[in-house]
Amino acid sequence: MDDMVEPQDPRDLLPIPRCRQLLGDEAIDLTDAEVEELRRHAHVLAHALLEVFLHRRAQAE
């Protein structure tokens, strides 16, 4: 699996208000910095899951 790196282009990430909307009530007491940290972790995790999925699919073929 390729090294997981954080996106360099800000367009690759959802805006903070959209992240807050997706988090719902869980985001009420979070600072923007905490939402930013969650956003970065979610981005990396999503890419890791896609890599695993694509790897397993390629093995099944």
Side-chain angles (χ1 to χ4, degrees):
M1 196 174 329
D2 296 334
D3 289 336
M4 294 293 138
V5 295
E6 293 183 22
Q8 299 299 317
D9 190 344
R11 294 176 294 173
D12 290 342
L13 295 173
L14 292 172
I16 295 288
R18 178 65 177 138
C19 291
R20 286 185 175 283
Q21 182 183 26
L22 292 170
L23 290 167
D25 290 341
E26 299 298 324
I28 290 173
D29 293 329
L30 298 177
T31 66
D32 282 353
E34 290 169 325
V35 173
E36 165 71 22
E37 185 175 355
L38 282 169
R39 176 176 69 174
R40 286 193 326 269
H41 287 297
H43 183 85
V44 171
L45 180 58
H47 281 273
L49 290 172
L50 284 170
E51 287 284 333
V52 169
F53 172 78
L54 293 173
H55 179 73
R56 288 183 179 228
R57 188 176 77 176
Q59 285 181 335
E61 293 178 350

